[in-house]
Amino acid sequence: MKDPRTEPLWREEVSFREADEQYVARRQFGKFLALTSLGMFVGNLWILVRTRLRKRPRPAEKVIARADELPVRGMKLFAYPTPRDSCLLIRSDETTWVAYQQKCTHLSCAVIWRPSRDRLECPCHDGAFSVETGAVLQGPPPRPLPKVRLERRGSDLVALGIDRGEEGADGS
Amino acid sequence: MDREDDRAARRRRLTVIDGTSSLIAVLLIVQMWILTATLDAVLGGNDAAALPAAIASGLLFLVSALLARFVTRVERERR
């Protein structure tokens, strides 16, 4: 046993032997990784809590156009369910109307209707969506375009809610 | 001879600690992927992914914590 009075001060402050240094570094690294892992878990919990607390109000029904207002392969812009949610109404043939939210599911650029190619296109990154289903045909968008559910009531086309592909629905 | 044995045991312990730390790092990468994918899904309107993702992330954290504890225990055993 060494006399603490004769021990140099640095040895008291650095409490491990030089040969043990690598153990300490690895242990600290392991702790750091575990704490980062805890951070990831907390992040997932935060997302879970936010989704549980968030209440998506059922979108109100809204008359968006008259059925005879659009020619075949014609398009009309409208806002649904809020004035900030721009949507496209397309008459794909004599008896079929489809509507989608205009925001691309990649980076939220506005998609445009290309009747010559019979599809919806995002000009920012060359994404393309099917006009029949809103499914991704090409490019980087990860999800289909949210589809506006429509119903024809007499001469009016009524928006009933938003379908977000197979992943869930608002207002259904 | 004792010194040689001690050195070999030390090397073995360090290998165990390195392997365990690597495993924790892999689990952490999986957790990062889960977090990113969940955020992407939720922002896209798919709230259903949040619960299974949180459970999976929690399990991975549990395993990581146990492995980190194992590293500490192995390091203590040398004393």
Side-chain angles (χ1 to χ4, degrees):
Chain A
M1 187 76 184
K2 287 184 178 177
D3 185 358
R5 285 171 298 183
T6 59
E7 282 277 286
L9 182 61
W10 65 265
R11 194 172 278 281
E12 286 178 28
E13 292 174 346
V14 184
S15 58
F16 51 81
R17 291 174 292 160
E18 190 181 356
D20 293 341
E21 196 174 0
Q22 49 198 344
Y23 278 119
V24 174
R26 281 166 171 78
R27 189 178 63 204
Q28 284 173 340
F29 184 59
K31 279 184 181 170
F32 167 75
L33 288 179
L35 276 176
T36 314
S37 172
L38 175 64
M40 296 290 144
F41 176 46
V42 169
N44 266 102
L45 274 184
W46 178 76
I47 292 173
L48 179 65
V49 170
R50 285 292 299 264
T51 55
R52 297 284 159 181
L53 293 180
R54 182 173 59 187
K55 288 187 178 126
R56 286 194 168 145
R58 183 191 169 103
E61 294 182 0
K62 181 183 175 185
V63 176
I64 55 170
R66 285 195 330 278
D68 57 357
E69 189 178 327
L70 287 177
V72 174
R73 310 193 72 70
M75 183 273 290
K76 180 189 175 181
L77 281 173
F78 66 99
Y80 183 79
T82 72
R84 290 167 56 190
D85 297 312
S86 182
C87 299
L88 292 166
L89 172 68
I90 296 160
R91 185 174 186 177
S92 51
D93 61 43
E94 280 294 336
T95 56
T96 311
W97 290 262
V98 287
Y100 299 98
Q101 287 200 326
Q102 205 184 6
K103 203 185 277 183
C104 179
T105 53
H106 177 221
L107 290 176
S108 301
C109 291
V111 296
I112 51 176
W113 163 230
R114 286 253 191 245
S116 57
R117 293 183 181 175
D118 202 27
R119 63 188 196 176
L120 295 149
E121 291 183 357
C122 176
C124 294
H125 302 98
D126 286 332
F129 301 89
S130 160
V131 72
E132 285 87 16
T133 61
V136 180
L137 298 176
Q138 72 168 48
R143 292 179 297 278
L145 276 180
K147 191 172 188 176
V148 180
R149 271 182 288 118
L150 295 176
E151 188 178 272
R152 185 172 176 178
R153 290 181 188 161
S155 61
D156 289 335
L157 292 172
V158 183
L160 303 174
I162 309 282
D163 284 340
R164 296 177 191 276
E166 59 194 39
E167 297 169 336
D170 283 349
S172 53
Chain B
M1 191 64 189
D2 280 352
R3 198 181 175 89
E4 277 303 309
D5 287 348
D6 190 39
R7 202 171 281 169
R10 175 184 290 271
R11 269 201 300 271
R12 275 199 300 275
R13 274 193 293 267
L14 282 175
T15 306
V16 169
I17 291 173
D18 284 346
T20 311
S21 299
S22 305
L23 194 56
I24 298 175
V26 170
L27 295 180
L28 189 60
I29 290 168
V30 175
Q31 268 191 306
M32 283 180 192
W33 177 81
I34 288 176
L35 183 64
T36 314
T38 312
L39 198 58
D40 182 58
V42 167
L43 289 177
N46 181 13
D47 291 355
L51 181 62
I55 292 171
S57 187
L59 287 175
L60 288 173
F61 163 64
L62 208 64
V63 175
S64 297
L66 288 174
L67 288 173
R69 202 174 153 198
F70 173 70
V71 167
T72 309
R73 216 168 56 190
V74 168
E75 188 267 335
R76 270 194 197 138
E77 273 174 12
R78 82 196 151 75
R79 291 174 185 166

